[in-house]
Amino acid sequence: MENYKKIIEDIYAEVKNIEDIGTVANYIPELAFVDASNFGIHITNTNNASFGVGNFNKKFSIQSISKLLSLTLAYKLEGEKLWDRVDVEPSGNPFNSFLQLETDLGKPRNPFINSGAIVVCDVLLSHLKNPKEDFLEFCREISNNATLNYSKKVTQSEKDSGFRNNAICNFIKSFGNINNDVAPVIDFYFHICSLEMSCKELSEIFMFLANDEFSTSKGNKILSMSQAKRINAIMLTCGFYDESGEFAFRVGLPGKSGVGGGIIAIHPDKYCIAVWSPKLNEQSNSYKGMLFLEKFTTRTTSSIF
Ligand code: GLN
């Protein structure tokens, strides 16, 4: 960790001063209230050493990064049958696209686009007694952090503006790939998207994908090694929607972004790093977040390739 600190501080100072050509997401009105100048980084490694700069302790809306947590729980509960409901192919399309759903007969291309995450929510709804509470409890146990919570304001704002997500859920249900009623599936989906975490909390909660030895404070293992490997593979190929190739090309790590401007990236067996900068590029990924990570893996020569 010692040799990473100076590199992180240097790149942070450099990227902070670069003009940000991105824009804050405003299609969910509540997200537009964020202070766009926030910029934070936090890294945790497999020896439990950690380091952060900037606004790394400030909670923000993690949005689609939470699709990684819902997928993990669904995979744990449903096992390999999950892949009958959602595929593991890059979509090459925006995160909220309908395009392939029609020809793919309601089977979403992957669990990280909205359609896939909505099917994952349906799977969870069929397994969990109290989905919202049980999912939160799962996140709190992995992170050993009882402060994790949904943002009521963001959930409401997503509901008020959620025409497209409702339509996607209805459309998939018309093909028979949603078993529960649309309203509770979408309500659960919006809650999951509204989870709030800081960069520090993000880099801690996803250590189970970086560290084969990981178990929770209650002694529970989250996923088997082979399952964790598969989730990392889907992240590498699908974590950035139609920019997944670009992220692999420039950064070279499995990662996942959210429209709140957060990104997490995993170096299996080494570390988990989280970056937050709210302004997004045209593919809805954090502009400075990607820039930071590209410089970070280049200067530390720590990509998986
Ligand atoms: N809640 C957002 C949505 O459903 C999540 C999208 C994202 O972060 N890419 O549109």
Side-chain angles (χ1 to χ4, degrees), residues 27-28 63-64 67 95 114 158 165 189 193 241 258-259:
Y27 74 100
I28 300 168
Q63 291 292 317
S64 277
K67 293 182 166 87
F95 63 88
N114 289 11
E158 298 222 29
N165 285 318
Y189 171 78
C193 291
Y241 328 113
V259 292

Side-chain angles (χ1 to χ4, degrees), residues 32 51 65 85 94 149 185-186 188 193 203 210 221 232 237 255 264:
F51 180 64
I65 301 176
R85 305 271 309 272
N149 221 330
V185 174
I186 282 295
F188 185 38
C193 291
S203 80
K221 262 200 105 52
N232 276 313
T237 50
I264 65 117

Side-chain angles (χ1 to χ4, degrees), residues 11-12 46 56 93 128 158 160 165 201 250:
I11 305 173
Y12 173 81
T46 46
F56 68 89
N93 274 303
L128 303 174
E158 298 222 29
D160 295 344
N165 285 318
E201 290 166 333
R250 286 172 49 192

Side-chain angles (χ1 to χ4, degrees), residues 27-31 61-64 66-67 95 114 151-166 186-195 259-260:
Y27 74 100
I28 300 168
E30 192 62 34
L31 295 183
S61 192
I62 72 166
Q63 291 292 317
S64 277
S66 63
K67 293 182 166 87
F95 63 88
N114 289 11
S151 155
K152 289 200 175 97
K153 278 191 181 164
V154 173
T155 313
Q156 192 54 49
S157 191
E158 298 222 29
K159 278 187 188 172
D160 295 344
S161 56
F163 308 108
R164 205 172 171 95
N165 285 318
N166 272 288
I186 282 295
D187 176 63
F188 185 38
Y189 171 78
F190 288 148
H191 274 83
I192 287 179
C193 291
S194 80
L195 260 183
V259 292

Side-chain angles (χ1 to χ4, degrees), residues 17-87:
N17 290 325
I18 289 175
E19 189 200 347
D20 199 332
I21 55 168
T23 44
V24 170
N26 59 7
Y27 74 100
I28 300 168
E30 192 62 34
L31 295 183
F33 293 126
V34 73
D35 174 352
S37 69
N38 278 297
F39 188 29
I41 325 284
H42 194 272
I43 183 167
T44 304
N45 73 13
T46 46
N47 298 322
N48 264 330
S50 67
F51 180 64
V53 285
N55 308 108
F56 68 89
N57 262 322
K58 211 163 160 183
K59 285 183 190 273
F60 60 95
S61 192
I62 72 166
Q63 291 292 317
S64 277
I65 301 176
S66 63
K67 293 182 166 87
L68 202 43
L69 292 160
S70 47
L71 172 66
T72 298
L73 183 55
Y75 195 15
K76 203 174 162 60
L77 296 169
E78 186 86 0
E80 301 307 315
K81 285 200 316 264
L82 182 62
W83 314 123
D84 297 340
R85 305 271 309 272
V86 55
D87 217 330

